[in-house]
Amino acid sequence: MRVRYVLSEVLTGLWRNVTMTIAMIITMTVSLTMLGASLLLFFQVDKMENYFYQRVEVSVFLKVDVTDEQRNNLKSAIESSPLVKTVEYESKKQAWERFQTQFKDAPDLVSATKEESLPESFRIKLKDPNTVEQFSEEIRSQDGISDIVDQKELLTRVFDLLGALQTLALTVAIVQGAAALLLVANTIQVAAYSKRREVAVMKLVGASNWFIQLPFVLEAVFAGIIGAILGFGVLVAAKVFVIDGSLKALTNVLLPVDWGNILLMLPILAGAGGLVSAVTAWVTLRFYVRV
């Protein structure tokens, strides 16, 4: 009987304040979607860092007038380094062929670039990507070197940018979450005020605070869980239609987002939405239902 009463009160409360309930669900959906997106971005950036840092190369470009002796001495110095895992020599012709492949969609750039303008180079993969600076210091004194390019430095800048996007997404999620909590608190206040006479009567006949508060708390939890489900649906749609759809060509760079991480968002968002909504409702009701 008590369970039926509580559930009927929850449904009645949701329908009585249907406009505010819808607004609360929408706000929770937006904030939880942003929270899920920021968590997915965090997982993805960490995955990309591990993937690309293990494939970092150091490119040692040679001078235009490098001699055979200088080239051979440099190759020997690189191969003898204990820091080096693999080394590959790239001639001007090979560099030109790779350039044509990379920029095949920019024919004007390809036609304006001559084969002799591209330098020879050694492409080195290190055993430990963190030893780039040490390796550079070892071979910098060799003759015939024009420049040493470290991919890790470029990747670090890219990941710094992605880290800033992580922070931005999390900040937006926090702001949206704060707005959702204020809306939950306001909705619960309105619901409690509209039923103040019923609450007073229930207090007089000896009903406990938890029995009185439970329907209001469940209203907030309902909105939080529905918002979490809708937010999860948005993330799934983004995975199917955006990441695996329009951005599929970039998966070699961005790496595919694992379905496991997507599915993990449902319990996280449902737990966060339901728990935070329940706590907010309970704290709000402490000011309206007193012993």
Side-chain angles (χ1 to χ4, degrees):
M1 185 67 179
R2 288 191 173 188
V3 174
R4 183 181 302 176
Y5 169 78
V6 170
L7 291 179
S8 66
E9 286 297 302
V10 170
L11 295 176
T12 301
L14 290 172
W15 180 251
R16 180 183 298 156
N17 303 300
V18 63
T19 304
M20 296 191 70
T21 300
I22 293 174
M24 184 165 55
I25 291 174
I26 292 174
T27 308
M28 291 295 295
T29 300
V30 173
S31 61
L32 291 173
T33 299
M34 291 301 302
L35 176 61
S38 63
L39 290 175
L40 287 175
L41 182 58
F42 177 82
F43 294 148
Q44 197 65 11
V45 170
D46 187 60
K47 177 182 176 182
M48 290 171 63
E49 284 182 347
N50 293 332
Y51 179 85
F52 286 111
Y53 279 152
Q54 293 302 318
R55 290 159 178 78
V56 164
E57 288 185 348
V58 179
S59 297
V60 179
F61 294 100
L62 308 184
K63 293 180 179 179
V64 178
D65 58 350
V66 64
T67 64
D68 291 340
E69 181 180 2
Q70 291 173 335
R71 185 187 300 107
N72 292 333
N73 290 338
L74 178 58
K75 182 178 181 181
S76 298
I78 294 173
E79 291 177 338
S80 63
S81 173
L83 304 176
V84 174
K85 182 178 180 181
T86 61
V87 57
E88 180 182 354
Y89 170 73
E90 184 176 75
S91 65
K92 288 179 178 289
K93 182 179 180 181
Q94 291 171 325
W96 168 243
E97 291 173 352
R98 187 167 61 86
F99 180 84
Q100 287 179 307
T101 302
Q102 286 182 335
F103 297 97
K104 61 183 179 181
D105 295 329
D108 293 338
L109 177 61
V110 173
S111 61
T113 305
K114 305 300 180 183
E115 179 179 330
E116 56 271 16
S117 64
L118 299 176
E120 306 170 62
S121 66
F122 287 103
R123 299 188 175 276
I124 302 107
K125 185 172 291 186
L126 301 177
K127 296 177 182 178
D128 183 358
N130 295 317
T131 60
V132 170
E133 293 183 3
Q134 182 181 347
F135 171 75
S136 299
E137 290 298 325
E138 283 186 4
I139 65 167
R140 196 175 295 277
S141 59
Q142 294 289 325
D143 295 329
I145 296 178
S146 171
D147 192 16
I148 300 176
V149 176
D150 171 19
Q151 290 182 347
K152 185 180 178 183
E153 182 179 353
L154 176 60
L155 287 175
T156 299
R157 294 177 183 176
V158 172
F159 287 124
D160 285 344
L161 175 60
L162 292 175
L165 292 177
Q166 281 180 313
T167 303
L168 177 61
L170 186 58
T171 302
V172 173
I174 292 173
V175 172
Q176 288 287 342
L181 295 184
L182 290 174
L183 188 56
V184 169
N186 187 55
T187 302
I188 296 302
Q189 288 180 23
V190 171
Y193 182 79
S194 64
K195 297 180 65 176
R196 62 190 184 280
R197 291 186 177 84
E198 296 176 37
V199 169
V201 171
M202 293 174 68
K203 292 287 292 180
L204 289 174
V205 298
S208 66
N209 278 352
W210 272 111
F211 184 75
I212 297 172
Q213 294 171 356
L214 189 57
F216 301 107
V217 173
L218 289 180
E219 289 180 32
V221 171
F222 174 84
I225 292 179
I226 294 299
I229 293 173
L230 293 176
F232 173 73
V234 172
L235 295 177
V236 170
K239 160 72 173 172
V240 173
F241 297 107
V242 179
I243 298 174
D244 292 345
S246 57
L247 297 181
K248 187 176 182 179
L250 298 179
T251 52
N252 289 334
V253 177
L254 300 177
L255 299 185
V257 177
D258 297 333
W259 271 111
N261 289 340
I262 296 289
L263 296 177
L264 181 62
M265 291 301 105
L266 180 57
I268 290 177
L269 298 184
L275 179 62
V276 172
S277 297
V279 172
T280 302
W282 180 79
V283 171
T284 302
L285 288 168
R286 296 294 294 174
F287 295 98
Y288 288 87
V289 182
R290 301 178 182 275
V291 178

